[in-house]
Amino acid sequence: MKRGDLLLVSGILIVSLLFMVPRWIQSGESSEKNHNSQKTAVIKMEGKLYRTVTLTKEEQTIEIRTQRGYNLLKVHDYGIEMVDADCPDEICLTFGFRSRQGDTIVCLPHRVIVEIGGPSGEGGETDAVI
């Protein structure tokens, strides 16, 4: 590579970084805004509303006991996760920690669905950009 080639490549890299800096700043502000807006988890059993919980940083547990079985949900760090269940397959425990709007946790044997929502008019985050 000649000196001119290095200057050309360096110039292209600098210009592309200048276009990326506003995106980094904007994404930092949007994540901060997402924590400040009140997200909720809607818990439904057999298709009917069981409880609506505000997702907060403080830890709280929600115990669900029905004739079908037992589920334990844990709210913390502005998200929710299923930490214990007595269903035979325990697939609901594999969903892990959920915090984005539109995320769900499902326990089919106990017919429990947890869906995360946000304030009306707020869209979900982008999954991917191609």
Side-chain angles (χ1 to χ4, degrees):
M1 289 183 84
K2 296 180 182 176
R3 184 174 182 217
D5 294 336
L6 288 175
L7 288 173
L8 180 63
V9 170
S10 300
I12 291 172
L13 285 175
I14 290 171
V15 169
S16 50
L17 283 175
L18 289 175
F19 282 109
M20 294 301 292
V21 168
R23 282 186 164 216
W24 291 331
I25 293 171
Q26 191 176 38
S27 70
E29 291 173 357
S30 67
S31 66
E32 189 176 306
K33 191 185 299 181
N34 286 342
H35 284 305
N36 292 337
S37 64
Q38 292 295 326
K39 290 184 183 175
T40 58
V42 177
I43 304 168
K44 293 181 182 177
M45 290 179 27
E46 297 186 13
K48 297 176 185 169
L49 179 66
Y50 173 74
R51 186 171 169 186
T52 301
V53 180
T54 302
L55 301 180
T56 60
K57 185 163 182 68
E58 293 78 32
E59 187 174 310
Q60 58 180 315
T61 57
I62 300 158
E63 190 174 306
I64 302 171
R65 288 194 183 271
T66 65
Q67 294 174 344
R68 296 186 180 279
Y70 164 80
N71 294 81
L72 183 65
L73 293 162
K74 182 177 173 183
V75 175
H76 61 94
D77 298 324
Y78 302 103
I80 192 167
E81 65 181 319
M82 183 89 61
V83 293
D84 193 21
D86 65 353
C87 52
D89 55 8
E90 294 186 348
I91 292 175
C92 55
L93 300 179
T94 65
F95 282 87
F97 180 76
R98 296 290 174 198
S99 61
R100 293 184 357 184
Q101 184 175 351
D103 282 351
T104 57
I105 300 173
V106 180
C107 182
L108 287 177
H110 297 162
R111 297 183 183 169
V112 175
I113 297 175
V114 180
E115 185 173 12
I116 298 178
S120 60
E122 182 181 298
E125 295 177 14
T126 304
D127 288 336
V129 176
I130 298 175

